[in-house]
């Protein structure tokens, strides 16, 4: 492809993207294909000769599009959002054009220095104190892995990377029963082992870790000769939005000299609004905090903000410096690849710069506040409706409900009927063993009318459930 053709197709694709978003409400939110249907339309072998862009674009429309679930659909109420505000999408186009690999300061000084400043903007936006440093990770899973590795190394006196874990006492890490599966995987990958992830039962309306049982578990482990290393708390758990009492967790951690990591992958975005910060009261005492601007805030996937109180401990855990990565004569510069497990890094800070400037924090706060208000008003309407019951109360913009008096099979059939219908998209979770239907409002272009429309769809389909 020559650059003239690139320009031609580039313009066409921007036009395509604009039309896609203008007409997105006409599409079913979840893809309506059967397993294998897309694969059956793909040639089994690669072409030996060049194909024309016209053909590629036509096949994209014909083969790929029917197999897409539309995450930018304003009636996407499933999982959590993965927003892509238009300015952040434009920034990603620039990043795609530059295609820089930003592993070291010198491999693109602007990427490093913008990242430092953007993470400090986010720190201020979230109301975190000075002293937290930030890095962009590709995912909350990676940030949590980096935090778990840091807990491990800190507990082992920084010897784990060198000596391995055999011959060491069992490292123990504590969390609630509500944490995301990325915690389990971090524990596996760090070599700590699932059996050493101690799940503390939850209590209360926010399904928070029971603090007395947390303390008792740590004390019992110490008596048994285990090596407690850290606590992973959550603000806004994936199932129902569970929030641990961070202040109490931090106090226990201090008492036992443990490292604390807070997973606020989804809910962290809401902390740009001061009125929601009570949900993570005490967070300033944590050692590590992760939230995903690529979820609710509007930065295009992927972009995970990881704040650490002492980046030295993270760098001590992850930095590796063979000769070819040394930046001679530039001591004191940040090389962010020393803060993350992967070496290569995309230029992710640019989309934060575009996003925050194009809306201002006030513009972003207004969206989040609307989402919360609309979710709460839908919850009230469902509560008053004879066919539904509320299972868990709204935490920010997430609540769960179900068909009143029906068993799990009927609830699952109802979720499938909703998603086959295609006008809205929801997913399910389990609360105390029984199926509940999750509803969260968070897509960037969602309007109040979209949420009201969801109520109509739910009532209509409940009529035949
Ligand atoms: C989405 C989510 C994650 C995982 O985020 P990734 O960036 O996909 O790794 C972890 N924890 C919570 C609470 C989440 O909601």
């Amino acid at each position: 492809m020559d650059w003239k053709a690139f320009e031609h197709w580039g313009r066409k694709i921007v036009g395509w993207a604009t039309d896609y978003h203008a007409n997105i409400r006409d599409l079913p939110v979840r893809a309506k294909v059967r397993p294998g249907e897309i694969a059956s339309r793909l040639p089994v072998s690669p072409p030996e000769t060049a194909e024309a862009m016209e053909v590629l674009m036509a096949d994209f429309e014909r083969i790929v599009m029917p197999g897409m679930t539309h995450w930018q659909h304003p009636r996407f109420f499933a999982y959590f959002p993965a927003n892509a505000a238009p300015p952040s999408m434009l920034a990603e186009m620039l990043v795609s054009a530059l295609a820089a690999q930003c592993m070291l300061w010198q491999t693109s000084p602007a990427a490093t220095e913008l990242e430092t400043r953007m993470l400090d903007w986010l720190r201020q936006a979230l109301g975190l104190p000075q002293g937290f440093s930030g890095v962009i990770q590709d995912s909350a899973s990676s940030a949590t892995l980096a935090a778990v590795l840091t807990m491990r190394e800190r507990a082992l006196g920084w010897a784990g990377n060198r000596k391995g874990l055999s011959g060491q006492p069992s490292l123990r890490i504590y969390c609630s029963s509500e944490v995301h599966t990325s915690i389990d995987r971090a524990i596996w990958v760090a070599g700590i082992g699932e059996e050493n992830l101690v799940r503390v039962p939850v209590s209360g309306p926010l399904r928070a870790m029971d603090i007395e049982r947390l303390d008792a578990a740590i004390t019992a482990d110490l008596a048994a000769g285990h090596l407690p290393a850290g606590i992973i708390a959550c603000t806004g758990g994936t199932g129902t939005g569970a929030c641990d009492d961070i202040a109490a967790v931090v106090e226990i951690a201090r008492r036992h000299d443990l490292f604390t990591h807070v997973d606020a992958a989804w809910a962290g975005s809401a902390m740009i609004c001061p009125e929601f910060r009570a949900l993570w009261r005490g967070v300033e005492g944590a050692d590590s905090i992760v939230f995903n601007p690529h979820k609710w805030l509007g930065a295009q996937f992927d972009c995970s903000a990881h704040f650490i109180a002492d980046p030295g401990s993270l760098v001590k855990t992850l930095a590796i410096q063979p000769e070819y990565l040394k930046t001679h004569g530039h001591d004191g510069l940040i090389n962010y690849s020393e803060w993350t497990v992967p070496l290569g890094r995309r230029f992710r800070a640019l989309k934060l710069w575009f996003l925050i400037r194009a809306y201002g924090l006030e513009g972003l706060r207004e969206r989040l506040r609307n989402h919360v208000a609309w979710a709460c008003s839908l919850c009230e309407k469902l509560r008053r409706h004879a066919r539904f019951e509320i299972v868990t109360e709204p935490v920010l913009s997430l609540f769960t409900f179900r068909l009143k008096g029906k068993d799990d099979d009927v609830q699952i059939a109802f979720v499938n009927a909703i998603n086959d219908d295609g006008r809205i998209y929801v997913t399910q979770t389990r609360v105390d063993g029984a199926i509940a239907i999750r509803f969260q409002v968070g897509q960037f272009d969602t309007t109040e009318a979209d949420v009201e429309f969801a109520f109509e769809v739910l009532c209509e389909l409940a009529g035949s459930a």
Side-chain angles (χ1 to χ4, degrees), residues 128-361:
L128 294 174
Q130 271 181 354
F132 276 102
S133 304
V135 55
I136 302 178
Q137 304 263 6
D138 55 10
S139 61
S141 303
S142 290
T144 295
L145 174 59
V148 167
L149 291 170
T150 306
M151 288 177 191
R152 186 192 79 184
E153 287 306 291
R154 182 178 170 275
L156 293 176
W158 316 100
N161 281 340
R162 206 170 56 250
K163 294 189 172 170
L165 300 187
S166 62
Q168 301 286 359
S170 293
L171 288 154
R172 304 287 270 186
I173 292 184
Y174 308 84
C175 66
S176 84
S177 49
E178 295 285 320
V179 296
H180 189 264
T181 49
S182 56
I183 313 306
D184 301 59
R185 288 209 280 193
I187 297 297
W188 302 350
V189 174
I192 290 169
E194 186 80 41
E195 288 175 5
N196 294 310
L197 179 63
V198 181
R199 279 174 220 273
V200 179
V202 297
S203 60
L206 284 171
R207 305 180 75 76
M209 242 190 285
D210 183 321
I211 291 298
E212 278 170 20
R213 294 176 77 162
L214 168 66
D215 196 24
I218 297 169
T219 306
D221 281 350
L222 285 168
H226 298 322
L227 182 57
I231 308 175
I232 300 175
C234 72
T235 300
T238 313
T240 65
C243 291
D244 288 319
D245 178 345
I246 307 291
V249 167
V250 164
E251 200 200 306
I252 300 280
R254 290 244 164 92
R255 199 181 308 155
H256 296 284
D257 189 28
L258 303 182
F259 186 100
T260 39
H261 173 63
V262 176
D263 178 6
W266 160 67
S269 293
M271 302 309 165
I272 66 170
C273 305
E275 70 270 29
F276 300 137
R277 290 181 194 155
L279 287 176
W280 73 358
R281 196 181 56 85
V283 72
E284 60 282 351
D287 294 297
S288 165
I289 305 160
V290 64
F291 97 97
N292 283 350
H294 74 228
K295 277 186 169 160
W296 202 358
L297 200 64
Q300 184 160 36
F301 191 82
D302 49 1
C303 183
S304 189
H306 186 193
F307 296 100
I308 21 269
D310 171 25
S313 60
L314 182 64
V315 171
K316 215 160 149 183
T317 302
L318 295 179
I320 190 160
Q321 284 201 333
E323 187 57 34
Y324 59 84
L325 290 179
K326 284 187 182 150
T327 44
H328 294 286
H330 289 299
D331 287 348
L333 291 175
I334 295 179
N335 292 318
Y336 277 121
S337 55
E338 297 178 353
W339 299 41
T340 59
V341 175
L343 173 68
R345 337 187 62 238
R346 306 197 316 108
F347 182 7
R348 296 192 185 86
L350 194 71
K351 60 193 163 195
L352 283 172
W353 200 43
F354 274 42
L355 174 77
I356 297 169
R357 297 178 70 193
Y359 295 94
L361 291 176

